[in-house]
Amino acid sequence: MKKVLHIGFDDTDSLRGSCTTHLATLIIHEIFDQVSFLDFPNLIRLNPNIPYKTRGNGAVALRIEGEEKNLEYCKEIVIEKVKNLSEVDDENTNPGIAFVEDKIPKEIIAHSQRAMWDVISIKEAEDFSSFPNVEIIKFKLGRGIIGALGAIGNPLKGDFTYEHLSYREPKNFGTKRLIDSESIYSADKETPLTFNNVDYEYNSIMILPRGADPVFTGIRGETVEEVRKAYSLIRPLEKLPMQMVFRTNQHTNQHFTEKFSIDKLKPYISAIVDAEVTSKPFYIEGSHLIFSIGDTTGKIDCAAYEPTKRFRGQLSKLLIGDKVTVFGGIRPAEKNHQMTINVERLKITELVKNTKLENPFCSNCHARLKSAGKNKGFKCPKCSTKYRELLPNEIEIPRELNLGEYLPPMIAQRHLTKPQVRENRDNTTTQKPIKDINSILADLVKN
Ligand SMILES: [Zn+2]
């Protein structure tokens, strides 16, 4: 009798190299002819604002079906690969694996939803091992079990996207990625359902990661066909032995679901806050922009950091009294600053009128009047007529901001950020389940 097995793993990589998706691809190569896949491998990005993470806080889930003995074989492969290929020498790499048979318990789905924005302890995740169909394996501290279960519990029922990843030969890890960059620009133009290939604003190619990791390209898009098409159109100048397509919650804003009043904010969560601007934005050393917001429960500083480039310039135009919804991660208080929201996205819901006061004109000679002193009205500098009762004119200055949403440029966006181009896209309802997953996977494995 065939059974379903969900496999999750996380925290196998380090800042120096390796990559959880690479490990997943190696595992898929070993097991794909033993079992059938119920979905593409899932790449699940979790709360990007927690302190313990490597690059993007991404975990992987594989959902497979097969005979008991084949599933046991898969488990062995996963354990062996995670054990031998994780960067366990790095003190910040603490891999974890989770296996869930058949139905995913609703408690794990709830854990996964919370893992998108909250901070969860290893202990809390470990408690799931008391479920009869859940198995948990920790390496070192085993922090990865939080993400492993988080990935399993997120079957991507809502909005999602795809990412096509290609991997380099190990001998090239750490060297410059060689590619005909013109081919990236033309692939971008020919595949309208891919996105974030090039940041045209800063003329920066986005599909090539910069680190020493095995990933050569990452192409994001709305459909499997489109990301594969874009990959077929680019011209890498080195041999790429492996590729895989992941279904993912990247670019869906899934980490912003929870609204908070300011008094309830706590470090490292991803939060939505409705508030009013309470101080004029100003730049601090390092070109970071700071302003504060308040609601009926308190006030908090907000920051748009230097890497967000022109986003800072836009937010610098905010005025006291503007009503905003801030989406961001909470930085704890430190020696030189209070608890602060790192602004990832900001929606303006109401703009105050910006006005300035101007002296009126003389009704005799039309010269601009001068103040006659505090509370003494005005005096004409030309004909000396005095105007005791006259008040200054209030002049409206047009605002340089509009209602609506503001985002940092692509180069400064997070994996989870829903880019402008996806604003009206939502794959929840637009895509039918893909039937030929296993033949596509076989094709990808064949390379
Ligand atoms: Zn006059």
Side-chain angles (χ1 to χ4, degrees):
M1 201 186 84
K2 285 190 176 176
K3 276 188 169 175
V4 170
L5 178 68
H6 302 269
I7 301 167
F9 45 92
D10 189 21
D11 208 1
T12 64
D13 50 356
S14 75
L15 287 172
R16 286 198 314 273
S18 191
C19 170
T20 302
T21 68
H22 184 240
L23 192 56
T25 303
L26 290 168
I27 290 168
I28 294 166
H29 272 248
E30 301 271 333
I31 66 173
F32 93 103
D33 57 356
Q34 305 274 322
V35 291
S36 57
F37 280 76
L38 303 173
D39 193 357
F40 284 91
N42 293 167
L43 168 57
I44 305 296
R45 300 284 176 183
L46 301 157
N47 182 6
N49 294 305
I50 61 163
Y52 310 110
K53 57 160 184 172
T54 42
R55 276 181 306 273
N57 203 14
V60 167
L62 308 176
R63 307 180 197 281
I64 57 177
E65 188 177 48
E67 298 294 338
E68 183 97 51
K69 67 172 189 340
N70 298 101
L71 295 180
E72 285 306 316
Y73 169 79
C74 293
K75 285 185 184 176
E76 278 167 35
I77 293 287
V78 171
I79 295 165
E80 184 241 300
K81 293 279 182 212
V82 170
K83 194 170 159 189
N84 295 328
L85 298 174
S86 293
E87 303 261 333
V88 281
D89 298 339
D90 190 312
E91 59 166 333
N92 292 316
T93 302
N94 292 283
I97 301 172
F99 298 118
V100 175
E101 277 178 22
D102 297 326
K103 204 169 175 289
I104 304 165
K106 62 179 190 308
E107 291 85 351
I108 289 180
I109 291 176
H111 158 86
S112 178
Q113 285 164 355
R114 225 186 100 208
M116 290 310 302
W117 59 270
D118 205 357
V119 184
I120 295 175
S121 69
I122 299 171
K123 170 77 176 55
E124 282 174 271
E126 209 166 4
D127 286 346
F128 289 113
S129 62
S130 64
F131 285 76
N133 61 336
V134 177
E135 195 180 332
I136 283 168
I137 299 155
K138 301 198 300 176
F139 298 89
K140 293 163 65 192
L141 293 175
R143 187 173 289 119
I145 62 170
I146 302 166
L149 289 159
I152 288 175
N154 185 351
L156 297 169
K157 290 252 164 82
D159 189 18
F160 65 88
T161 62
Y162 288 96
E163 181 164 8
H164 177 287
L165 289 156
S166 68
Y167 300 96
R168 320 180 73 185
E169 288 186 294
K171 69 176 166 75
N172 291 328
F173 293 178
T175 63
K176 191 172 154 42
R177 291 168 176 79
L178 299 174
I179 188 164
D180 170 358
S181 50
E182 274 311 306
S183 70
I184 299 173
Y185 287 85
S186 55
D188 180 56
K189 294 196 172 71
E190 284 173 53
T191 54
L193 289 181
T194 63
F195 53 83
N196 285 29
N197 297 316
V198 179
D199 183 341
Y200 289 96
E201 191 180 351
Y202 291 91
N203 194 27
S204 181
I205 289 171
M206 303 296 296
I207 68 167
L208 305 176
R210 276 158 225 265
D213 58 284
V215 174
F216 185 78
T217 48
I219 300 172
R220 295 115 196 271
E222 308 294 341
T223 68
V224 182
E225 299 73 42
E226 197 83 336
V227 292
R228 294 188 74 194
K229 183 181 171 193
Y231 180 63
S232 74
L233 292 171
I234 58 167
R235 285 188 295 276
L237 301 174
E238 62 179 73
K239 207 175 152 224
L240 302 174
M242 291 203 308
Q243 55 168 325
M244 190 42 62
V245 173
F246 289 81
R247 199 160 78 88
T248 172
N249 64 346
Q250 291 177 158
H251 311 295
T252 64
N253 279 344
Q254 213 179 49
H255 58 320
F256 290 126
T257 55
E258 302 297 308
K259 269 199 185 186
F260 289 85
S261 58
I262 289 171
D263 63 334
K264 295 279 171 15
L265 293 172
K266 53 178 189 171
Y268 309 119
I269 61 171
S270 297
I272 308 173
V273 182
D274 287 323
E276 203 172 289
V277 176
T278 54
S279 80
K280 221 168 128 40
F282 62 97
Y283 285 96
I284 57 166
E285 209 186 310
S287 285
H288 310 303
L289 185 83
I290 307 289
F291 59 98
S292 61
I293 57 169
D295 65 11
T296 54
T297 70
K299 275 188 192 180
I300 188 166
D301 279 347
C302 291
Y305 296 104
E306 192 281 330
T308 64
K309 305 287 173 204
R310 59 104 177 113
F311 185 56
R312 296 165 305 162
Q314 292 171 312
L315 302 197
S316 72
K317 307 266 173 17
L318 287 166
L319 292 178
I320 294 171
D322 285 342
K323 291 208 167 68
V324 292
T325 303
V326 175
F327 302 80
I330 311 301
R331 289 187 67 188
E334 273 163 41
K335 248 193 295 187
N336 53 349
H337 64 82
Q338 303 171 323
M339 191 157 84
T340 303
I341 307 182
N342 174 8
V343 185
E344 287 178 37
R345 187 175 141 208
L346 182 133
K347 191 175 168 191
I348 302 175
T349 52
E350 217 177 297
L351 287 166
V352 292
K353 218 198 238 184
N354 190 19
T355 57
K356 64 174 181 187
L357 297 177
E358 264 182 7
N359 293 354
F361 293 98
C362 175
S363 50
N364 291 332
C365 66
H366 307 290
R368 172 90 67 189
L369 297 175
K370 286 237 155 80
S371 169
K374 209 177 173 201
N375 298 323
K376 286 183 179 161
F378 296 98
K379 189 184 171 184
C380 177
K382 214 164 153 188
C383 70
S384 297
T385 312
K386 284 180 179 165
Y387 297 85
R388 277 203 169 274
E389 305 301 320
L390 209 56
L391 291 170
N393 295 327
E394 202 181 70
I395 308 289
E396 188 174 344
I397 305 167
R399 294 294 307 266
E400 293 169 81
L401 292 168
N402 297 309
L403 298 183
E405 220 160 81
Y406 287 84
L407 278 178
M410 204 186 283
I411 47 164
Q413 288 172 9
R414 298 217 189 249
H415 291 295
L416 278 159
T417 305
K418 188 165 183 165
Q420 221 102 46
V421 62
R422 296 204 74 241
E423 207 177 337
N424 298 311
R425 292 184 191 165
D426 186 330
N427 289 321
T428 312
T429 49
T430 51
Q431 292 202 29
K432 293 188 191 80
I434 291 169
K435 289 200 185 71
D436 50 354
I437 289 165
N438 288 284
S439 60
I440 296 173
L441 284 178
D443 204 32
L444 288 165
V445 165
K446 229 170 38 206
N447 199 22

